[in-house]
Amino acid sequence: MTGAFEYQLADSWEEAVELHRIWGEDGKILAGGQSLVPMLNLRLVQPAGLIDINPIGAVEPRVADDRLVLSALTRHQDLLRSPLVREHCPILAEGAAQIGNVRVRARGTVGGSMCHADPSGEIPCMVLALDGQLIAHSPRGQRVIDAERFLRSYLTTDLAEDELLTEIRLPIRKHGQGWAFLETVRRYSDFATVEVAATATLSSDAHTVTALRVVVGGVADRPLILSDELLSAAVGGTGRDDELRAVGAAAAATVSPESDVHASADYRRRLTEVLTYRALGKAIERGRAESKGAGV
Amino acid sequence: MTKTQVQLRVNGRTHELWVGTNRLLLDALHDDLGMADVRYGCGEGVCGTCTILLDGEPVSACLLFAVQVEGREITTLTGLPAADAESHPIQDCFLQAGAAQCGFCTPGMMLTALALVERTERPTREDIRYELVGNLCRCTGYTKIVDAVEEYACRRRGNGSHD
Ligand SMILES: Cc1cc2nc3c(=O)[nH]c(=O)nc-3n(C[C@H](O)[C@H](O)[C@H](O)COP(=O)(O)OP(=O)(O)OC[C@H]3O[C@@H](n4cnc5c(N)ncnc54)[C@H](O)[C@@H]3O)c2cc1C
Ligand code: FES
Ligand code: FES
């Protein structure tokens, strides 16, 4: 059983921001509860007030200004079930299918995952790969934060104490853009040992790889974006096997993961190499199919 | 601590009870309402023995507070059989396949499987394993559980045997 707390319901984001201000550091936001409640049960955190934002409800995913707009309260399983998400940001469905178990996906939210900022979380890795923006609200107003800035370190974000995450905006997939999310886990439903999110853009004749973006999770205190220099072995190329292998090897050489009970640093480096190579291959293949208009 | 009155809709009946705001739904169901089929295993969302259906979706009762679910429809294993039946067809399939040994995981397994078959008429063995990955069994080795769910899906489609 958790320690005692006062339970507060927020029916709107305005109300949540106000309650959050009143409680200050003694209050905690409760979203899906899939990370917070285990910590409450273990008494790792003991807030005096719990502000339940679930009654606000998630607005359905929608597209505005070439961006997919997700409410912070969108649940993992909504990403799997929304045709709009599959059409405009299909990587989200591929990655969300690999989060936890069916009960976690039924309750856990994309906003909660971003705020929890686990360095192996699928959502942060994908939002960074898509170069997403986070919308925060506080009594001081609204702030737009780039994903790269938002994810600071282990369980640490750029949110100020009085800020709430309300929305996530993601650029929608362009013509000729492919995607892949791959991870390795010890047991299905565990957090990823290493995970890779990749997007690849192909020229209109489907011949040349014109842009790549790759993010690796589980190898540092936050997901890492592979640098343009590192990706240059494959950008401008045709997606040949040796080009992709070169990027994989370079990725493995740049990360410096730690060893823990789940995996040694060497094993994580090896996974970085293999998963990067495979994710690039898959993303390019899909991009090619997309730009030929064949669909996937 | 001050207590709040909540109304819980469980298996088609409304229960009124007084709970602390920090009362887990799991404890409210198991201890306050005496539902032995909703069970504490880990308290971290990992094991699945506390699985209930919340408006038809499997969720962990150990990660919800009782005050959060007013007005929602909760289903536990005991709510499955029709009023005039002794058991639900999924229970018959588990029994026939020998898919339960100690039985501790069984209610959670069946509720999760039920929700899967509700959504997916023809689940593959791989689909079943994927869906049940968050329900741990320390006895059976899972094979017979997958057999039972496959058989249940089959019966629900209305042909008594595998096709
Ligand atoms: C068994 C199990 C397995 C899991 N496996 C995985 C996995 O493989 N991959 C993975 O990524 N995750 C996994 N998770 C975690 C899951 O994805 C959580 O849903 C997620 O990390 C947190 O989302 P939540 O909505 O549950 O947030 P909560 O637990 O409610 O909150 C998490 C934190 O974020 C804060 N917060 C939440 N929403 C907001 C907001 N809008 N603004 C400001 N602060 C906010 C809370 O105060 C809290 O500190 C697993 C969880 C369990 C129980
Ligand atoms: S007791 Fe709830 S998942 Fe284990
Ligand atoms: S039958 Fe004993 S835990 Fe599954």
Side-chain angles (χ1 to χ4, degrees):
Chain A
M1 202 213 269
T2 72
F5 52 76
E6 243 186 81
Y7 176 72
Q8 309 258 275
L9 282 165
D11 289 312
S12 65
W13 287 110
E14 292 73 32
E15 200 178 347
V17 167
E18 177 60 8
L19 286 167
H20 196 43
R21 183 191 65 79
I22 293 169
W23 281 94
E25 63 178 17
D26 297 329
K28 268 270 172 204
I29 299 291
L30 174 65
Q34 303 300 294
S35 296
L36 182 57
V37 182
M39 292 199 292
L40 292 171
N41 284 343
L42 295 166
R43 302 205 178 203
L44 291 172
V45 283
Q46 300 208 37
L50 210 55
I51 304 155
D52 186 353
I53 58 174
N54 287 284
I56 299 170
V59 182
E60 287 279 305
R62 63 198 158 88
V63 172
D65 296 333
D66 283 344
R67 281 168 193 273
L68 178 73
V69 182
L70 300 175
S71 157
L73 281 166
T74 301
R75 304 201 193 264
H76 302 322
Q77 78 179 13
D78 298 333
L79 300 177
L80 300 173
R81 295 181 184 175
S82 160
L84 206 68
V85 170
R86 282 190 188 272
E87 182 183 345
H88 295 294
C89 292
I91 192 172
L92 293 178
E94 186 153 285
Q98 301 179 56
I99 299 176
N101 57 48
V102 64
R103 302 186 307 283
V104 173
R105 293 190 295 272
R107 293 293 302 171
T109 66
V110 293
S113 276
M114 288 306 294
C115 293
H116 190 60
D118 191 294
S120 311
E122 285 83 355
I123 301 288
C125 185
M126 295 188 292
V127 169
L128 189 57
L130 295 178
D131 203 7
Q133 289 179 324
L134 295 302
I135 313 299
H137 276 93
S138 73
R140 296 167 290 128
Q142 173 183 312
R143 186 163 72 105
V144 182
I145 313 164
D146 289 337
E148 188 173 0
R149 180 187 169 121
F150 185 88
L151 298 164
R152 296 251 299 250
S153 183
Y154 290 110
L155 313 187
T156 308
T157 69
D158 195 52
L159 285 183
E161 195 180 292
D162 61 352
E163 280 180 319
L164 285 187
L165 175 61
T166 55
E167 216 172 82
I168 304 178
R169 294 181 192 161
L170 302 156
I172 61 174
R173 191 164 54 85
K174 293 191 278 287
H175 185 73
Q177 196 178 58
W179 70 94
F181 184 92
L182 295 177
E183 69 176 44
T184 296
V185 278
R186 275 171 64 96
R187 290 170 303 228
Y188 290 122
S189 87
D190 276 3
F191 272 91
T193 308
V194 174
E195 60 189 359
V196 174
T199 61
T201 312
L202 279 102
S203 58
S204 51
D205 62 359
H207 184 70
T208 316
V209 177
T210 55
L212 290 173
R213 187 160 164 107
V214 182
V215 174
V216 186
V219 291
D221 61 345
R222 55 179 172 157
L224 292 182
I225 307 170
L226 299 187
S227 70
D228 288 344
E229 190 192 342
L230 199 154
L231 296 170
S232 64
V235 176
T238 54
R240 277 203 330 266
D241 200 61
D242 60 306
E243 294 164 355
L244 309 189
R245 282 191 191 280
V247 174
T254 49
V255 298
S256 33
E258 291 182 22
S259 295
D260 60 25
V261 287
H262 302 298
S264 68
D266 277 344
Y267 180 56
R268 283 203 160 88
R269 223 174 278 121
R270 176 78 179 131
L271 287 178
T272 302
E273 176 169 359
V274 173
L275 293 176
T276 300
Y277 161 72
R278 288 185 190 157
L280 284 173
K282 198 166 170 185
I284 291 169
E285 186 189 317
R286 280 172 169 163
R288 197 154 268 155
E290 286 287 320
S291 66
K292 282 180 183 152
V296 191
Chain B
M1 188 179 35
T2 51
K3 295 199 167 186
T4 331
Q5 192 179 28
V6 291
Q7 288 197 350
L8 298 185
R9 279 286 290 172
V10 191
N11 299 331
R13 276 186 52 197
T14 304
H15 303 262
E16 246 169 47
L17 59 162
W18 288 85
V19 293
T21 48
N22 64 345
R23 191 71 167 156
L24 292 172
L25 178 58
L26 165 59
D27 296 332
L29 293 172
H30 185 276
D31 295 353
D32 300 341
L33 296 180
M35 300 187 158
D37 54 320
V38 188
R39 296 164 179 170
Y40 177 88
C42 67
E44 297 179 28
V46 175
C47 74
T49 60
C50 70
T51 303
I52 56 153
L53 300 182
L54 185 64
D55 295 333
E57 300 279 0
V59 297
S60 304
C62 69
L63 300 184
L64 278 165
F65 297 104
V67 289
Q68 287 189 275
V69 294
E70 273 200 296
R72 311 284 297 269
E73 198 64 49
I74 294 166
T75 309
T76 76
L77 180 73
T78 42
L80 293 187
D84 54 353
E86 213 169 79
S87 59
H88 183 275
I90 197 165
Q91 291 173 298
D92 303 337
C93 293
F94 267 64
L95 199 62
Q96 278 158 28
Q101 286 182 32
C102 81
F104 196 72
C105 69
T106 314
M109 286 287 180
M110 294 203 264
L111 289 169
T112 310
L114 205 66
L116 166 68
V117 177
E118 200 60 46
R119 255 182 295 117
T120 316
E121 194 183 319
R122 203 177 284 272
T124 63
R125 290 183 76 81
E126 197 45 49
D127 292 338
I128 296 168
R129 286 186 173 274
Y130 171 75
E131 202 75 2
L132 291 178
V133 79
N135 291 80
L136 304 186
C137 176
R138 296 285 101 131
C139 303
T140 64
Y142 301 104
T143 303
K144 291 186 174 175
I145 293 176
V146 179
D147 292 345
V149 178
E150 215 179 12
E151 175 63 25
Y152 170 65
C154 209
R155 282 194 202 175
R156 199 167 175 282
R157 290 196 300 269
N159 41 353
S161 62
H162 291 300
D163 45 19

